[in-house]
């Protein structure tokens, strides 16, 4: 249950700038087999990015060619993705086997014409298209009431960690309003407005959005239908201003500005207007091991200068055993292009006390004289 930090110093004793980056290779964890070891290799794990845009799975679901379909929100309570089909006035949620195969439709509802939405606090929020009305549905698909906004709503997203609700208004600027969620799952005070996101997806209109608070360096996801791409955008939540585009990659077949994407915590889901299927793509963000991390992950060091890397080790909720990894420092040093730092964490099993039985019942007794 303890955490600790260690410092690794990287020195440049040469006459030219040292450009370096890094990868983390997991070598051993309790219960780790050969197949897992090959997956958690130097090019697939750690602070570096995975292969963004890799197609991980696909199925038809409620999408069809020339239908306006959007993947709108991950139901983390039931581990399923909600998808809308505006053309047919339906929405459905899908589960899978954990490997983006064997997809199953878990529930289907008929909410009328809606496109974007989100899942937060055990409720599905769906916007009635081109109106200020957002309807709320419980886990069984029952409409429990609506919320009214003073403008027509396009995109919808939520931040369950900070209890925030984000709605994109119609109009040329497509401002994204940020509200506090109340204790009754209503909409409270407006705490900010994102006004400058258009420039970060090439000023192409987009009527949907996704928000991933678990990725603080790039929370906002917006599609660009003219290139069938999704853009991951960093937002400064102190002043609610977009600061940079983190990455962009193809999610083929968006085709229309009305179609948004969803994120399940690890991957991007897309449907769109052109193809007759629902697709899941690698989001390009590494899901490294919880027990070790480090920063910075890259940099440039001048001649006779040095830089410090902080390695954090966290034994919270870990099983007993050995955890071993190598941090690979990859650089332009022609004689040492891959310098390695070994990380070894040994988790000892702690004693746990139990009592049996936990209570003693003697029944009624008589105390004699």
């Amino acid at each position: 249950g303890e955490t600790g930090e260690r410092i690794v110093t990287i020195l440049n004793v040469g006459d030219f700038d040292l450009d370096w980056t890094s990868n983390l290779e997991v070598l051993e964890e309790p219960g780790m087999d050969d197949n897992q070891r090959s997956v958690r290799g130097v090019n697939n794990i750690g602070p570096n990015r995975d292969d963004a845009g890799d197609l991980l799975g696909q199925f038809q679901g409620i999408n069809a060619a020339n239908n306006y379909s959007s993947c709108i929100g991950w139901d983390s309570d039931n581990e399923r993705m909600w998808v809308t089909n505006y053309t047919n006035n339906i929405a459905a949620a899908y589960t899978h086997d954990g490997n983006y195969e064997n997809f199953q439709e878990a529930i289907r509802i008929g909410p009328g014409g809606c496109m974007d939405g989100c899942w937060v606090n055990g409720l599905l929020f769906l916007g009635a298209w081109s109106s200020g009305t957002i309807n709320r549905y419980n886990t069984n698909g029952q409409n429990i009431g609506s919320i009214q906004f003073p403008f027509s709503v396009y995109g919808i997203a939520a931040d369950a960690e900070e209890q925030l609700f984000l709605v994109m208004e119609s109009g040329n600027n497509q401002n994204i309003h940020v509200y506090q969620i109340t204790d009754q799952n209503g909409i409270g005070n407006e705490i900010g407005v994102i006004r400058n996101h258009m420039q970060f997806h090439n000023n192409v209109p987009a009527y949907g959005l996704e928000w991933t608070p678990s990725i603080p360096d790039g929370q906002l996801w917006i599609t660009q239908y003219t290139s069938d791409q999704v853009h991951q955008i960093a937002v400064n939540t102190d002043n609610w201003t977009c600061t940079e585009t983190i990455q962009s990659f193809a999610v083929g077949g968006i085709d229309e500005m009305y179609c948004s994407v969803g994120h399940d915590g690890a991957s991007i889901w897309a449907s769109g207007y052109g193809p007759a299927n629902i697709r899941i793509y690698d989001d390009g963000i590494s899901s490294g091991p919880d027990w070790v991390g480090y920063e910075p992950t890259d940099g440039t060091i001048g001649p006779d200068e040095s830089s410090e890397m902080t390695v954090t080790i966290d034994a919270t909720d870990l099983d007993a055993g050995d955890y071993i990894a190598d941090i690979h420092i990859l650089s332009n040093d022609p004689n040492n292009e891959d310098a390695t730092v070994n990380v070894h964490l040994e988790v000892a099993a702690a004693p746990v006390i139990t009592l049996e039985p936990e209570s003693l019942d003697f029944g009624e007794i008589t105390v004699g004289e």
Side-chain angles (χ1 to χ4, degrees):
E2 297 180 351
T3 61
E5 292 184 349
R6 299 290 186 272
I7 300 297
V8 175
T9 302
I10 307 171
L11 301 98
N12 178 10
V13 296
D15 298 325
F16 300 93
D17 284 351
L18 178 73
D19 299 317
W20 67 277
T21 185
S22 60
N23 281 311
L24 181 66
E25 179 182 14
V26 177
L27 303 175
E28 192 66 54
E29 290 177 350
M32 187 177 187
D33 59 30
D34 290 339
N35 290 331
Q36 291 171 314
R37 187 174 292 106
S38 65
V39 170
R40 305 190 77 174
V42 66
N43 294 318
N44 299 297
I45 206 69
N48 60 300
R49 290 192 176 276
D50 297 328
D51 294 326
D54 277 2
L55 184 64
L56 304 178
Q58 57 185 317
F59 65 104
Q60 182 172 348
I62 60 172
N63 194 19
N66 302 322
N67 278 206
Y68 291 98
S69 178
S70 293
C71 298
I72 63 168
W74 178 249
D75 173 355
S76 56
D77 300 306
N78 300 290
E79 296 188 343
R80 58 195 189 187
M81 177 63 74
W82 279 95
V83 182
T84 61
N85 184 310
Y86 171 82
T87 306
N88 296 318
N89 297 323
I90 55 177
Y94 294 94
T95 62
H96 60 88
D97 62 2
N99 293 311
Y100 300 117
E101 296 178 347
N102 301 316
F103 294 90
Q104 298 290 329
E105 183 176 303
I107 185 173
R108 180 182 293 205
I109 61 176
C114 59
M115 289 191 176
D116 204 2
C118 68
W119 179 273
V120 64
N121 297 342
L123 295 177
L124 175 68
F125 291 72
L126 287 176
W129 174 246
S130 193
S131 79
T133 301
I134 294 181
N135 293 299
R136 298 170 297 175
Y137 299 82
N138 63 21
T139 190
N140 297 316
Q142 299 167 319
N143 190 332
I144 65 166
S146 63
I147 300 171
Q148 196 68 32
F149 286 85
F151 48 80
S152 293
V153 173
Y154 281 174
I156 302 172
D159 183 336
E161 295 179 10
E162 299 295 333
Q163 289 295 290
L164 302 178
F165 198 77
L166 295 87
V167 290
M168 178 192 289
E169 66 173 293
S170 61
N172 294 330
N173 295 323
Q174 299 178 359
N175 292 331
I176 300 173
H177 298 257
V178 185
Y179 296 90
Q180 200 75 49
I181 299 176
T182 68
D183 293 338
Q184 293 75 36
N185 286 315
I187 302 303
N189 295 329
E190 182 177 280
I191 65 171
V193 182
I194 302 174
R195 305 179 187 277
N196 69 329
H197 66 87
M198 292 285 292
Q199 61 184 290
F200 294 94
H201 47 94
N202 294 323
N203 293 307
V204 175
Y207 295 162
L209 66 139
E210 179 64 297
W211 183 265
T212 52
S214 61
I215 311 174
D217 63 344
Q219 316 96 315
L220 180 63
W221 302 77
I222 295 183
T223 60
Q224 181 184 338
Y225 77 95
T226 56
S227 60
D228 281 336
Q229 286 190 316
V230 64
H231 298 263
Q232 182 190 12
I233 303 167
V235 178
N236 181 340
T237 56
D238 292 332
N239 57 16
W240 295 102
T241 301
C242 295
T243 58
E244 64 176 316
T245 299
I246 301 299
Q247 61 172 339
S248 304
F249 55 86
V251 288
I254 294 295
D255 288 340
E256 287 283 352
M257 66 186 75
Y258 307 98
C259 304
S260 63
V261 296
H263 193 278
D264 64 7
S267 306
I268 285 287
W269 293 54
S271 45
Y273 183 79
N277 66 351
I278 298 166
R279 306 168 303 283
I280 299 92
Y281 298 93
D282 192 322
D283 68 356
I285 301 169
S286 176
S287 53
D290 295 332
W291 62 272
V292 60
Y294 60 90
E295 59 179 1
T297 60
D298 55 58
T300 298
I301 304 172
D304 297 322
E305 295 181 353
S306 64
S307 178
E308 289 188 344
M309 171 193 291
T310 302
V311 181
T312 302
I313 300 173
D314 186 352
T316 303
D317 297 328
L318 293 183
D319 294 331
D322 288 316
Y323 296 77
I324 304 173
D326 279 342
I327 300 174
H328 293 263
I329 310 298
L330 311 173
S331 74
N332 58 341
D333 179 351
N335 298 317
N336 196 6
E337 296 178 351
D338 184 355
T340 303
V341 177
N342 182 257
V343 183
H344 184 183
L345 170 65
E346 181 180 353
V347 178
V352 179
I353 187 171
T354 62
L355 299 175
E356 188 177 341
E358 295 183 353
S359 63
L360 299 174
D361 185 358
F362 291 96
E364 293 186 6
I365 60 173
T366 300
V367 179
E369 295 180 357

